Amino acid sequence: MQKLFISLPGNSDYKVYTSDSGGGFAFRFSSFEGHEEVNLKMNQTNDESFLSENLGGQHFNIPTHEEYVKLVENTVAHIRKNDLGKIVMSRPQRFDKIIEPVLVFKKLVEAYPTACVYLFTHPEVGTWMGATPETLLSKKGDVLKTMSLAGTQKKGEEDKFTGKEKIEQELVTDYITEILNSEKGVEGVKAEGPIIAEAGNVVHLKTAIEATVQGSFNLSSLIKKLHPTPAVAGFPKKEALEFIKKNEPYKRSFYAGYFGLNQRTDAHYFVNLRCMQVFHDSVVLYAGGGITRDSNPEAEWEETENKMQTLLQVLK
Ligand SMILES: C=C(O[C@H]1C=CC=C(C(=O)O)[C@@H]1O)C(=O)O
């Protein structure tokens, strides 16, 4: 069974798609490293049934609190030694509960109307669900929109944003605007912000970025250049990716990858954050955070705990 339940940001309703009969629009679900990717043609359906055939088991190395704090300490040391801008570290966490995916999906749609909430099941990727606050790229006619989203505080503690988060987020804005400005067929790149944006029980710094596109523009090629942005990898990108690959003690798989749909002249792509993989007897949640030379390892652990609350609040 291949099925997609999706609610786009700003919508309180959702749609269900299946790829049984081929057709309507294209859906892509891509892993962080881009090595695993499914591209499907999908059609809308009224059938909300959900079979548990794609809820396979898998062994995960789940880092403990102590191990994660150590990993962040090593990351800070590496950043200082090599004078890097930022590296995004992340971790998985198991939550032992048998869930009903469609029920949880509906609760997420209700709880997070500004997020892109999805549930996707496929024999090769398994079953994933999330409520992401981050648009990778959206296109309506000839208007292109994206965002630079980084830096985190708990909701209600907006006044705690410091230079550390501002730098962390600025790196993302600069990276995205630079790519857009040098992309064929993209014009009039404008960045507005940062503002403080709510995402469940946390807040982020967010800059809205907009541009217009012309004939020679190629959406797929731009997505491949943008992903992974420094919001999920780091800066410089090559050094950050090398460090992640060598030091994170687990495989991100589809966490911090991207997914999206293309329909005629419109497209909506999102970064797969605040997500989890669903298994028969449990779920595995994922969260990370941008580490800079000024990061406090204990606070970085807390940040991932807070981000995971987005899903845990609905699961409990
Ligand atoms: C990597 C994640 O968040 C990114 C998006 C917003 C804020 C982030 C941060 O403050 O580090 C991250 O860049 C995640 O949620 O797992």
Side-chain angles (χ1 to χ4, degrees), residues 56-185:
Q58 209 171 322
H59 175 76
F60 271 87
N61 182 12
I62 308 278
T64 60
H65 177 183
E66 210 185 335
E67 284 165 347
Y68 191 69
V69 167
K70 186 87 206 134
L71 178 64
V72 175
E73 276 169 14
N74 293 343
T75 309
V76 171
H78 181 80
I79 288 171
R80 290 187 177 177
K81 184 165 168 235
N82 297 283
D83 200 20
L84 306 177
K86 158 181 178 179
I87 301 177
V88 178
M89 280 289 113
S90 67
R91 64 184 180 94
Q93 183 156 295
R94 184 186 299 279
F95 182 65
D96 290 317
K97 183 168 183 176
I98 298 170
I99 69 156
E100 273 188 58
V102 178
L103 202 75
V104 173
F105 166 79
K106 288 180 181 173
K107 284 190 189 170
L108 286 173
V109 172
E110 208 183 308
Y112 305 118
T114 60
C116 174
V117 180
Y118 81 94
L119 163 63
F120 179 56
T121 188
H122 183 279
E124 275 148 42
V125 309
T127 299
W128 289 76
M129 181 160 24
T132 178
E134 186 169 345
T135 296
L136 178 62
L137 200 61
S138 89
K139 182 178 169 289
K140 254 186 186 252
D142 60 0
V143 178
L144 210 58
K145 286 188 181 171
T146 179
M147 62 172 68
S148 151
L149 191 80
T152 305
Q153 292 293 348
K154 259 171 114 163
K155 197 156 122 188
E157 299 185 359
E158 289 79 358
D159 55 336
K160 289 197 178 157
F161 276 119
T162 64
K164 184 252 172 197
E165 288 85 17
K166 286 183 187 136
I167 291 170
E168 193 183 334
Q169 194 255 353
E170 228 166 67
L171 284 173
V172 185
T173 311
D174 292 349
Y175 167 91
I176 294 176
T177 49
E178 207 165 287
I179 289 183
L180 289 181
N181 275 322
S182 59
E183 183 69 3
K184 226 167 83 187

Side-chain angles (χ1 to χ4, degrees), residues 305-316:
E305 289 274 290
N306 293 336
K307 285 173 174 163
M308 284 177 189
Q309 280 302 323
T310 311
L311 299 180
L312 282 173
Q313 274 172 358
V314 167
L315 287 173
K316 278 176 180 164

Side-chain angles (χ1 to χ4, degrees), residues 5-285:
F5 293 67
I6 192 161
S7 172
L8 293 176
N11 280 13
S12 54
D13 63 344
Y14 62 88
K15 292 195 171 114
V16 187
Y17 299 95
T18 165
S19 74
D20 288 349
S21 46
F25 72 86
F27 178 70
R28 181 187 299 168
F29 199 68
S30 187
S31 66
F32 173 69
E33 292 185 13
H35 301 322
E36 296 161 87
E37 181 171 293
V38 291
N39 286 287
L40 301 170
K41 293 272 181 221
M42 301 198 104
N43 272 324
Q44 200 174 341
T45 173
N46 292 324
D47 176 9
E48 294 197 5
S49 65
F50 189 91
L51 301 174
S52 56
E53 62 197 20
N54 301 328
L55 307 180
Q58 209 171 322
H59 175 76
F60 271 87
N61 182 12
I62 308 278
T64 60
H65 177 183
E66 210 185 335
E67 284 165 347
Y68 191 69
V69 167
K70 186 87 206 134
L71 178 64
V72 175
E73 276 169 14
N74 293 343
T75 309
V76 171
H78 181 80
I79 288 171
R80 290 187 177 177
K81 184 165 168 235
N82 297 283
D83 200 20
L84 306 177
K86 158 181 178 179
I87 301 177
V88 178
M89 280 289 113
S90 67
R91 64 184 180 94
Q93 183 156 295
R94 184 186 299 279
F95 182 65
D96 290 317
K97 183 168 183 176
I98 298 170
I99 69 156
E100 273 188 58
V102 178
L103 202 75
V104 173
F105 166 79
K106 288 180 181 173
K107 284 190 189 170
L108 286 173
V109 172
E110 208 183 308
Y112 305 118
T114 60
C116 174
V117 180
Y118 81 94
L119 163 63
F120 179 56
T121 188
H122 183 279
E124 275 148 42
V125 309
T127 299
W128 289 76
M129 181 160 24
T132 178
E134 186 169 345
T135 296
L136 178 62
L137 200 61
S138 89
K139 182 178 169 289
K140 254 186 186 252
D142 60 0
V143 178
L144 210 58
K145 286 188 181 171
T146 179
M147 62 172 68
S148 151
L149 191 80
T152 305
Q153 292 293 348
K154 259 171 114 163
K155 197 156 122 188
E157 299 185 359
E158 289 79 358
D159 55 336
K160 289 197 178 157
F161 276 119
T162 64
K164 184 252 172 197
E165 288 85 17
K166 286 183 187 136
I167 291 170
E168 193 183 334
Q169 194 255 353
E170 228 166 67
L171 284 173
V172 185
T173 311
D174 292 349
Y175 167 91
I176 294 176
T177 49
E178 207 165 287
I179 289 183
L180 289 181
N181 275 322
S182 59
E183 183 69 3
K184 226 167 83 187
V186 176
E187 288 186 349
V189 180
K190 281 185 297 202
E192 232 181 271
I195 57 159
I196 291 173
E198 267 183 33
N201 56 313
V202 295
V203 289
H204 301 300
L205 298 175
K206 172 170 146 182
T207 299
I209 302 168
E210 216 179 290
T212 49
V213 299
Q214 311 239 316
S216 55
F217 170 70
N218 183 315
L219 184 90
S220 253
S221 127
L222 178 57
I223 285 176
K224 295 235 146 83
K225 281 179 205 159
L226 280 174
H227 175 79
T229 73
V232 290
F235 192 83
K237 183 157 152 173
K238 184 170 162 281
E239 284 81 352
L241 286 175
E242 270 169 19
F243 188 85
I244 291 167
K245 200 168 179 161
K246 235 171 140 180
N247 294 279
E248 266 184 358
Y250 83 103
K251 204 168 148 255
R252 289 188 180 191
S253 184
F254 291 90
Y255 158 70
Y258 68 91
F259 63 92
L261 32 104
N262 248 330
Q263 204 169 21
R264 291 185 292 273
T265 59
D266 294 356
H268 305 276
Y269 283 86
F270 303 92
V271 185
N272 195 13
L273 297 178
R274 318 298 141 84
C275 68
M276 61 187 165
Q277 189 170 5
V278 186
F279 297 102
H280 283 295
D281 56 351
S282 58
V283 300
V284 172
L285 308 151

